[in-house]
PDB file of all heavy atoms in Angstrom:
ATOM      1  N   GLY X 292       0.813  -1.209   0.000  1.00 72.00           N
ATOM      2  CA  GLY X 292       0.000   0.000   0.000  1.00 72.00           C
ATOM      3  C   GLY X 292       0.845   1.257   0.000  1.00 72.00           C
ATOM      4  O   GLY X 292       2.061   1.227   0.083  1.00 72.00           O
ATOM      5  N   VAL X 293       0.167   2.366  -0.100  1.00 84.00           N
ATOM      6  CA  VAL X 293       0.824   3.664  -0.059  1.00 84.00           C
ATOM      7  C   VAL X 293       0.517   4.296   1.295  1.00 84.00           C
ATOM      8  O   VAL X 293      -0.632   4.355   1.708  1.00 84.00           O
ATOM      9  CB  VAL X 293       0.309   4.577  -1.197  1.00 84.00           C
ATOM     10  CG1 VAL X 293       0.911   5.962  -1.084  1.00 84.00           C
ATOM     11  CG2 VAL X 293       0.616   3.964  -2.551  1.00 84.00           C
ATOM     12  N   ALA X 294       1.537   4.743   1.971  1.00 89.00           N
ATOM     13  CA  ALA X 294       1.361   5.412   3.255  1.00 89.00           C
ATOM     14  C   ALA X 294       1.239   6.908   3.014  1.00 89.00           C
ATOM     15  O   ALA X 294       2.065   7.500   2.315  1.00 89.00           O
ATOM     16  CB  ALA X 294       2.534   5.123   4.184  1.00 89.00           C
ATOM     17  N   VAL X 295       0.200   7.514   3.576  1.00 91.00           N
ATOM     18  CA  VAL X 295      -0.028   8.951   3.423  1.00 91.00           C
ATOM     19  C   VAL X 295       0.314   9.629   4.743  1.00 91.00           C
ATOM     20  O   VAL X 295      -0.272   9.304   5.785  1.00 91.00           O
ATOM     21  CB  VAL X 295      -1.492   9.242   3.026  1.00 91.00           C
ATOM     22  CG1 VAL X 295      -1.726  10.741   2.929  1.00 91.00           C
ATOM     23  CG2 VAL X 295      -1.840   8.555   1.711  1.00 91.00           C
ATOM     24  N   TYR X 296       1.269  10.554   4.698  1.00 94.00           N
ATOM     25  CA  TYR X 296       1.716  11.282   5.883  1.00 94.00           C
ATOM     26  C   TYR X 296       1.307  12.745   5.751  1.00 94.00           C
ATOM     27  O   TYR X 296       1.646  13.398   4.775  1.00 94.00           O
ATOM     28  CB  TYR X 296       3.233  11.188   6.034  1.00 94.00           C
ATOM     29  CG  TYR X 296       3.721   9.783   6.311  1.00 94.00           C
ATOM     30  CD1 TYR X 296       4.097   8.946   5.267  1.00 94.00           C
ATOM     31  CD2 TYR X 296       3.793   9.288   7.600  1.00 94.00           C
ATOM     32  CE1 TYR X 296       4.539   7.657   5.512  1.00 94.00           C
ATOM     33  CE2 TYR X 296       4.233   7.994   7.854  1.00 94.00           C
ATOM     34  CZ  TYR X 296       4.608   7.192   6.801  1.00 94.00           C
ATOM     35  OH  TYR X 296       5.038   5.912   7.048  1.00 94.00           O
ATOM     36  N   VAL X 297       0.597  13.248   6.752  1.00 92.00           N
ATOM     37  CA  VAL X 297       0.130  14.635   6.744  1.00 92.00           C
ATOM     38  C   VAL X 297       0.854  15.407   7.846  1.00 92.00           C
ATOM     39  O   VAL X 297       0.831  15.012   9.016  1.00 92.00           O
ATOM     40  CB  VAL X 297      -1.395  14.709   6.974  1.00 92.00           C
ATOM     41  CG1 VAL X 297      -1.860  16.154   7.015  1.00 92.00           C
ATOM     42  CG2 VAL X 297      -2.129  13.945   5.889  1.00 92.00           C
ATOM     43  N   ASP X 298       1.478  16.492   7.463  1.00 92.00           N
ATOM     44  CA  ASP X 298       2.176  17.378   8.387  1.00 92.00           C
ATOM     45  C   ASP X 298       1.143  18.117   9.240  1.00 92.00           C
ATOM     46  O   ASP X 298       0.292  18.827   8.711  1.00 92.00           O
ATOM     47  CB  ASP X 298       3.009  18.366   7.576  1.00 92.00           C
ATOM     48  CG  ASP X 298       3.883  19.288   8.405  1.00 92.00           C
ATOM     49  OD1 ASP X 298       3.688  19.361   9.639  1.00 92.00           O
ATOM     50  OD2 ASP X 298       4.746  19.954   7.809  1.00 92.00           O
ATOM     51  N   VAL X 299       1.207  17.928  10.557  1.00 90.00           N
ATOM     52  CA  VAL X 299       0.277  18.607  11.463  1.00 90.00           C
ATOM     53  C   VAL X 299       1.040  19.520  12.422  1.00 90.00           C
ATOM     54  O   VAL X 299       0.583  19.830  13.516  1.00 90.00           O
ATOM     55  CB  VAL X 299      -0.612  17.594  12.244  1.00 90.00           C
ATOM     56  CG1 VAL X 299      -1.563  16.893  11.309  1.00 90.00           C
ATOM     57  CG2 VAL X 299       0.223  16.595  13.026  1.00 90.00           C
ATOM     58  N   SER X 300       2.201  20.002  11.974  1.00 89.00           N
ATOM     59  CA  SER X 300       3.018  20.882  12.809  1.00 89.00           C
ATOM     60  C   SER X 300       2.390  22.265  12.888  1.00 89.00           C
ATOM     61  O   SER X 300       1.422  22.572  12.191  1.00 89.00           O
ATOM     62  CB  SER X 300       4.433  20.975  12.231  1.00 89.00           C
ATOM     63  OG  SER X 300       4.399  21.607  10.971  1.00 89.00           O
ATOM     64  N   GLY X 301       2.963  23.102  13.706  1.00 85.00           N
ATOM     65  CA  GLY X 301       2.449  24.452  13.909  1.00 85.00           C
ATOM     66  C   GLY X 301       2.369  25.287  12.648  1.00 85.00           C
ATOM     67  O   GLY X 301       1.424  26.059  12.461  1.00 85.00           O
ATOM     68  N   SER X 302       3.339  25.135  11.740  1.00 86.00           N
ATOM     69  CA  SER X 302       3.337  25.943  10.508  1.00 86.00           C
ATOM     70  C   SER X 302       2.214  25.561   9.550  1.00 86.00           C
ATOM     71  O   SER X 302       1.905  26.294   8.625  1.00 86.00           O
ATOM     72  CB  SER X 302       4.682  25.811   9.785  1.00 86.00           C
ATOM     73  OG  SER X 302       4.906  24.478   9.376  1.00 86.00           O
ATOM     74  N   MET X 303       1.589  24.430   9.776  1.00 87.00           N
ATOM     75  CA  MET X 303       0.508  23.959   8.907  1.00 87.00           C
ATOM     76  C   MET X 303      -0.876  24.305   9.465  1.00 87.00           C
ATOM     77  O   MET X 303      -1.889  24.043   8.825  1.00 87.00           O
ATOM     78  CB  MET X 303       0.602  22.435   8.746  1.00 87.00           C
ATOM     79  CG  MET X 303       1.798  21.969   7.962  1.00 87.00           C
ATOM     80  SD  MET X 303       1.604  22.255   6.216  1.00 87.00           S
ATOM     81  CE  MET X 303       0.294  21.105   5.843  1.00 87.00           C
ATOM     82  N   HIS X 304      -0.908  24.902  10.641  1.00 84.00           N
ATOM     83  CA  HIS X 304      -2.173  25.130  11.344  1.00 84.00           C
ATOM     84  C   HIS X 304      -3.230  25.829  10.480  1.00 84.00           C
ATOM     85  O   HIS X 304      -4.381  25.406  10.424  1.00 84.00           O
ATOM     86  CB  HIS X 304      -1.931  25.919  12.634  1.00 84.00           C
ATOM     87  CG  HIS X 304      -3.162  26.152  13.428  1.00 84.00           C
ATOM     88  ND1 HIS X 304      -3.793  25.152  14.136  1.00 84.00           N
ATOM     89  CD2 HIS X 304      -3.904  27.263  13.601  1.00 84.00           C
ATOM     90  CE1 HIS X 304      -4.862  25.648  14.717  1.00 84.00           C
ATOM     91  NE2 HIS X 304      -4.959  26.928  14.421  1.00 84.00           N
ATOM     92  N   SER X 305      -2.846  26.880   9.777  1.00 86.00           N
ATOM     93  CA  SER X 305      -3.838  27.641   9.005  1.00 86.00           C
ATOM     94  C   SER X 305      -4.313  26.913   7.747  1.00 86.00           C
ATOM     95  O   SER X 305      -5.395  27.191   7.237  1.00 86.00           O
ATOM     96  CB  SER X 305      -3.285  29.017   8.636  1.00 86.00           C
ATOM     97  OG  SER X 305      -2.177  28.879   7.782  1.00 86.00           O
ATOM     98  N   THR X 306      -3.519  25.986   7.227  1.00 87.00           N
ATOM     99  CA  THR X 306      -3.893  25.287   5.996  1.00 87.00           C
ATOM    100  C   THR X 306      -4.470  23.892   6.233  1.00 87.00           C
ATOM    101  O   THR X 306      -4.939  23.260   5.292  1.00 87.00           O
ATOM    102  CB  THR X 306      -2.679  25.164   5.058  1.00 87.00           C
ATOM    103  OG1 THR X 306      -1.634  24.469   5.744  1.00 87.00           O
ATOM    104  CG2 THR X 306      -2.201  26.513   4.609  1.00 87.00           C
ATOM    105  N   LEU X 307      -4.453  23.422   7.466  1.00 85.00           N
ATOM    106  CA  LEU X 307      -4.958  22.075   7.748  1.00 85.00           C
ATOM    107  C   LEU X 307      -6.414  21.855   7.343  1.00 85.00           C
ATOM    108  O   LEU X 307      -6.732  20.781   6.833  1.00 85.00           O
ATOM    109  CB  LEU X 307      -4.752  21.706   9.217  1.00 85.00           C
ATOM    110  CG  LEU X 307      -3.395  21.112   9.543  1.00 85.00           C
ATOM    111  CD1 LEU X 307      -3.266  20.851  11.032  1.00 85.00           C
ATOM    112  CD2 LEU X 307      -3.132  19.850   8.759  1.00 85.00           C
ATOM    113  N   PRO X 308      -7.318  22.806   7.530  1.00 84.00           N
ATOM    114  CA  PRO X 308      -8.697  22.547   7.096  1.00 84.00           C
ATOM    115  C   PRO X 308      -8.799  22.196   5.602  1.00 84.00           C
ATOM    116  O   PRO X 308      -9.536  21.289   5.223  1.00 84.00           O
ATOM    117  CB  PRO X 308      -9.424  23.864   7.403  1.00 84.00           C
ATOM    118  CG  PRO X 308      -8.652  24.447   8.535  1.00 84.00           C
ATOM    119  CD  PRO X 308      -7.220  24.076   8.265  1.00 84.00           C
ATOM    120  N   LYS X 309      -8.029  22.882   4.775  1.00 86.00           N
ATOM    121  CA  LYS X 309      -8.037  22.586   3.337  1.00 86.00           C
ATOM    122  C   LYS X 309      -7.465  21.196   3.069  1.00 86.00           C
ATOM    123  O   LYS X 309      -8.017  20.419   2.285  1.00 86.00           O
ATOM    124  CB  LYS X 309      -7.234  23.647   2.587  1.00 86.00           C
ATOM    125  CG  LYS X 309      -7.244  23.466   1.098  1.00 86.00           C
ATOM    126  CD  LYS X 309      -6.483  24.592   0.436  1.00 86.00           C
ATOM    127  CE  LYS X 309      -6.531  24.463  -1.072  1.00 86.00           C
ATOM    128  NZ  LYS X 309      -5.845  25.566  -1.736  1.00 86.00           N
ATOM    129  N   VAL X 310      -6.350  20.874   3.720  1.00 86.00           N
ATOM    130  CA  VAL X 310      -5.718  19.566   3.559  1.00 86.00           C
ATOM    131  C   VAL X 310      -6.667  18.463   4.011  1.00 86.00           C
ATOM    132  O   VAL X 310      -6.844  17.452   3.325  1.00 86.00           O
ATOM    133  CB  VAL X 310      -4.390  19.492   4.349  1.00 86.00           C
ATOM    134  CG1 VAL X 310      -3.846  18.079   4.366  1.00 86.00           C
ATOM    135  CG2 VAL X 310      -3.378  20.464   3.777  1.00 86.00           C
ATOM    136  N   LEU X 311      -7.291  18.666   5.150  1.00 81.00           N
ATOM    137  CA  LEU X 311      -8.196  17.650   5.689  1.00 81.00           C
ATOM    138  C   LEU X 311      -9.424  17.463   4.812  1.00 81.00           C
ATOM    139  O   LEU X 311      -9.936  16.345   4.678  1.00 81.00           O
ATOM    140  CB  LEU X 311      -8.589  18.004   7.118  1.00 81.00           C
ATOM    141  CG  LEU X 311      -7.422  18.054   8.112  1.00 81.00           C
ATOM    142  CD1 LEU X 311      -7.904  18.475   9.491  1.00 81.00           C
ATOM    143  CD2 LEU X 311      -6.694  16.724   8.188  1.00 81.00           C
ATOM    144  N   SER X 312      -9.897  18.522   4.180  1.00 81.00           N
ATOM    145  CA  SER X 312     -11.051  18.364   3.282  1.00 81.00           C
ATOM    146  C   SER X 312     -10.668  17.572   2.038  1.00 81.00           C
ATOM    147  O   SER X 312     -11.465  16.783   1.532  1.00 81.00           O
ATOM    148  CB  SER X 312     -11.640  19.721   2.906  1.00 81.00           C
ATOM    149  OG  SER X 312     -10.775  20.430   2.067  1.00 81.00           O
ATOM    150  N   VAL X 313      -9.455  17.754   1.542  1.00 80.00           N
ATOM    151  CA  VAL X 313      -8.984  16.976   0.388  1.00 80.00           C
ATOM    152  C   VAL X 313      -8.853  15.506   0.779  1.00 80.00           C
ATOM    153  O   VAL X 313      -9.298  14.616   0.046  1.00 80.00           O
ATOM    154  CB  VAL X 313      -7.638  17.522  -0.142  1.00 80.00           C
ATOM    155  CG1 VAL X 313      -7.025  16.572  -1.152  1.00 80.00           C
ATOM    156  CG2 VAL X 313      -7.830  18.892  -0.750  1.00 80.00           C
ATOM    157  N   ILE X 314      -8.287  15.244   1.937  1.00 79.00           N
ATOM    158  CA  ILE X 314      -8.149  13.864   2.404  1.00 79.00           C
ATOM    159  C   ILE X 314      -9.513  13.229   2.588  1.00 79.00           C
ATOM    160  O   ILE X 314      -9.741  12.080   2.217  1.00 79.00           O
ATOM    161  CB  ILE X 314      -7.323  13.819   3.703  1.00 79.00           C
ATOM    162  CG1 ILE X 314      -5.865  14.136   3.380  1.00 79.00           C
ATOM    163  CG2 ILE X 314      -7.436  12.461   4.378  1.00 79.00           C
ATOM    164  CD1 ILE X 314      -4.992  14.307   4.564  1.00 79.00           C
ATOM    165  N   SER X 315     -10.435  13.971   3.134  1.00 78.00           N
ATOM    166  CA  SER X 315     -11.793  13.470   3.339  1.00 78.00           C
ATOM    167  C   SER X 315     -12.454  13.093   2.018  1.00 78.00           C
ATOM    168  O   SER X 315     -13.171  12.096   1.936  1.00 78.00           O
ATOM    169  CB  SER X 315     -12.625  14.523   4.061  1.00 78.00           C
ATOM    170  OG  SER X 315     -13.926  14.057   4.262  1.00 78.00           O
TER     171      SER X 315
END
């Protein structure tokens, strides 16, 4: 399989909602 790693560090805080919607 392919492992998907999402950066959840502090610098990603403002963009996480967009990333999470794409993953969803």
Side-chain angles (χ1 to χ4, degrees):
V293 175
V295 178
Y296 294 92
V297 178
D298 185 347
V299 292
S300 65
S302 63
M303 292 285 292
H304 182 73
S305 64
T306 58
L307 274 177
K309 183 177 183 178
V310 171
L311 298 177
S312 70
V313 169
I314 289 172
S315 180

